[in-house]
Amino acid sequence: MEISIAAEKLFSIGGLPVTNAFLIGFLVSVFLILLTQIVVKKMALIPRGAQNVLEVIFEGLLSFIESVLGDKAQARRFFPLITTIFLFILVSNWIGLLPGAGTIGLTHLKDGQATIVPFLRSTSADLNFTIALSIIVVLTIQVSGIMALGIVKYGKKFFVSPFHKPYGLGTIMGLLELVSEFAKLLSFSFRLFGNIFAGEILLIVMLHLVPYFIPLPFLFLEVFVGFIQAAVFAMLTLVFLKMAMMEGAH
Amino acid sequence: MEALANLGVNWKLFLAQAVNFLILLFILRRFAYRPMLDFLEKRSERIEKGLQDAEAATKKLSEMEEKEKKVLTAARSEAKTLIEAAETAAKKRDALHLAATEGKAKQFLEEARTKIEEEKKKVLLEAKREIAEVVALSVEKILKEKVDATKDKQLIQEMVK
């Protein structure tokens, strides 16, 4: 049993080390594109099968986004980002739970001992992905805030003159707010990574301790956690977007 | 940076993941979300329109029913008056007809009566003449002689009168 915090390298293409997490990320993307294309191409007025499921997800998400943003046009503008985050994280989280995660893979020798580099590793259990996604999200939040309020007004949220009403207190609060914008980056990426990675390790450990039945509740738990983490990431993105586009309360 | 590298962060992979996600985002936005949301919107519009149409149709139906009722009652009353008028007209005509036939019958009767009278007169006249002749013959037989034709006739004429 070998637990590696980093995603393991399978092979490399032209200098890019392809890790199992990246491979899964790519496959999840292909899966989502194919799934939506199949549904979109066969879209019928009376929904059936997969179309029903996707419609429920899309309609639910759209109405939720609309209720948070309070504006229909804005809801449609941010719908793609929120939905893609949710679907991508959800599917990649659940793929890590499939049987074979951690057991099927390339063998490779390490310190004279044969170990397995598994093919399946949830993309969310790779810091490269979570940090990349966090940076995309945080940048989107800042850009949306600036576009909605204008750069001066948006900047005033963080840089408050100490000679106005709360006298100095506002300045400190503003600076704290600025720090929290950077903290978002860390909290976003490490929350997702930590939860999913810990879940995978938990499953591996349980499987090694008691191979039958006992790991089952933990598997259910991880299915739940996978959904919750996807929802949390998407919702926090949405809420932060809304907060960035609102005028400062202080 | 060293700490991050220990956690498996590799700028090449990091970039690859970011690009992968962005490509997925754009592809899905262009080819999945937009058609899907447009489709959903269109359908909800269609359903709304269908509901409105149904409501309008039921309203129209009830209006039509009301109209139908009105027309029916109007038609019924009109028919009643028509029938009444026809009845009175028929009665009038019957009366007229009866009067006419009665008149005709009277006329016929009258005519018949006059004819009979005339006939009677004719018959009577003829009878008188015949009687006169018979009387003349009998007288002639009784007298066994003839005065002369003219005197005889004169005589008979006087007698008969």
Side-chain angles (χ1 to χ4, degrees):
Chain A
M1 177 170 64
E2 189 194 1
I3 294 164
S4 146
I5 292 176
E8 295 97 331
K9 181 176 138 185
L10 293 171
F11 51 88
S12 53
I13 302 170
L16 173 73
V18 176
T19 58
N20 41 16
F22 180 71
L23 184 69
I24 292 303
F26 180 73
L27 290 180
V28 167
S29 306
V30 172
F31 168 74
L32 282 177
I33 290 168
L34 284 181
L35 175 75
T36 51
Q37 280 317 293
I38 286 170
V39 169
V40 165
K41 285 273 139 58
K42 288 202 298 182
M43 223 148 34
L45 209 59
I46 298 159
R48 186 167 295 169
Q51 191 190 340
N52 240 331
V53 178
L54 272 193
E55 271 183 18
V56 168
I57 295 174
F58 279 23
E59 270 184 331
L61 274 173
L62 187 64
S63 69
F64 177 73
I65 294 169
E66 216 177 296
S67 73
V68 171
L69 292 181
D71 183 82
K72 206 167 182 179
Q74 259 185 4
R76 273 207 70 159
R77 200 148 70 88
F78 290 111
F79 177 84
L81 179 70
I82 309 292
T83 310
T84 312
I85 288 173
F86 177 71
L87 288 179
F88 188 88
I89 295 178
L90 183 72
V91 175
S92 75
N93 284 354
W94 282 352
I95 273 188
L97 303 176
L98 287 178
T103 49
I104 302 173
L106 298 171
T107 52
H108 90 143
L109 285 170
K110 192 178 179 188
D111 307 331
Q113 216 179 3
T115 54
I116 292 170
V117 176
F119 287 129
L120 281 176
R121 180 183 173 120
S122 171
T123 317
S124 316
D126 177 13
L127 261 181
N128 285 309
F129 169 69
T130 57
I131 291 178
L133 190 56
S134 310
I135 287 180
I136 290 171
V137 164
V138 170
L139 278 180
T140 309
I141 290 170
Q142 307 307 323
V143 170
S144 303
I146 290 168
M147 270 166 67
L149 300 177
I151 192 150
V152 178
K153 225 173 193 179
Y154 188 70
K156 271 186 187 159
K157 277 188 174 184
F158 308 112
F159 304 106
V160 184
S161 159
F163 306 112
H164 285 312
K165 191 69 204 286
Y167 302 112
L169 194 65
T171 315
I172 296 165
M173 293 293 282
L175 286 176
L176 276 179
E177 205 109 331
L178 188 64
V179 170
S180 84
E181 291 298 317
F182 287 101
K184 270 175 201 166
L185 228 138
L186 283 178
S187 68
F188 262 135
S189 52
F190 280 90
R191 181 188 310 110
L192 181 60
F193 169 74
N195 271 288
I196 303 307
F197 184 62
E200 288 191 353
I201 290 171
L202 177 67
L203 283 182
I204 292 170
V205 168
M206 290 314 293
L207 271 169
H208 277 85
L209 287 178
V210 196
Y212 297 105
F213 303 116
I214 303 297
L216 215 56
F218 293 94
L219 201 59
F220 281 123
L221 179 74
E222 287 314 312
V223 170
F224 182 64
V225 167
F227 171 77
I228 288 294
Q229 285 308 314
V232 162
F233 206 111
M235 270 182 217
L236 280 179
T237 306
L238 181 62
V239 171
F240 287 150
L241 271 170
K242 173 70 179 166
M243 277 161 62
M245 289 188 294
M246 277 196 308
E247 293 195 24
H250 28 258
Chain B
M1 281 304 120
E2 185 126 342
L4 281 179
N6 283 340
L7 290 172
V9 176
N10 172 319
W11 69 268
K12 277 183 193 163
L13 270 172
F14 164 81
L15 218 66
Q17 290 277 23
V19 169
N20 181 44
F21 182 80
L22 287 176
I23 289 172
L24 176 69
L25 176 62
F26 285 113
I27 288 179
L28 284 184
R29 191 173 77 161
R30 177 77 187 76
F31 296 108
Y33 301 144
R34 203 172 298 164
M36 196 92 183
L37 291 185
D38 285 347
F39 176 79
L40 289 178
E41 212 161 279
K42 225 177 262 170
R43 186 170 61 194
S44 67
E45 265 170 26
R46 212 170 140 165
I47 289 171
E48 212 162 282
K49 197 172 165 279
L51 285 175
Q52 276 174 0
D53 281 358
E55 210 164 292
T58 42
K59 209 173 161 190
K60 212 168 193 176
L61 195 74
S62 66
E63 263 172 30
M64 292 289 264
E65 266 170 11
E66 199 105 318
K67 224 180 197 171
E68 202 181 275
K69 243 181 220 166
K70 258 185 205 164
V71 167
L72 260 170
T73 49
R76 218 168 270 154
S77 68
E78 204 171 321
K80 218 174 178 181
T81 52
L82 263 173
I83 287 169
E84 265 167 24
E87 250 166 29
T88 52
K91 261 181 200 164
K92 228 187 226 168
R93 215 176 36 219
D94 271 6
L96 238 89
H97 206 71
L98 213 72
T101 30
E102 247 167 33
K104 235 178 207 170
K106 238 180 207 168
Q107 211 183 318
F108 274 134
L109 214 70
E110 207 86 346
E111 264 170 30
R113 209 171 273 159
T114 50
K115 240 178 197 169
I116 287 166
E117 210 92 341
E118 263 168 33
E119 211 86 344
K120 216 168 138 188
K121 265 182 194 165
K122 240 187 202 167
V123 169
L124 246 147
L125 224 70
E126 213 136 299
K128 262 180 190 170
R129 218 175 49 209
E130 243 158 70
I131 290 168
E133 244 161 68
V134 170
V135 170
L137 271 178
S138 51
V139 169
E140 218 176 48
K141 257 175 198 174
I142 294 164
L143 288 179
K144 286 250 187 175
E145 65 167 316
K146 248 183 190 175
V147 188
D148 74 18
T150 47
K151 207 166 181 179
D152 183 39
K153 214 160 199 175
Q154 220 177 340
L155 268 172
I156 292 162
Q157 220 95 51
E158 270 167 35
M159 266 175 148
V160 172
K161 263 181 195 169

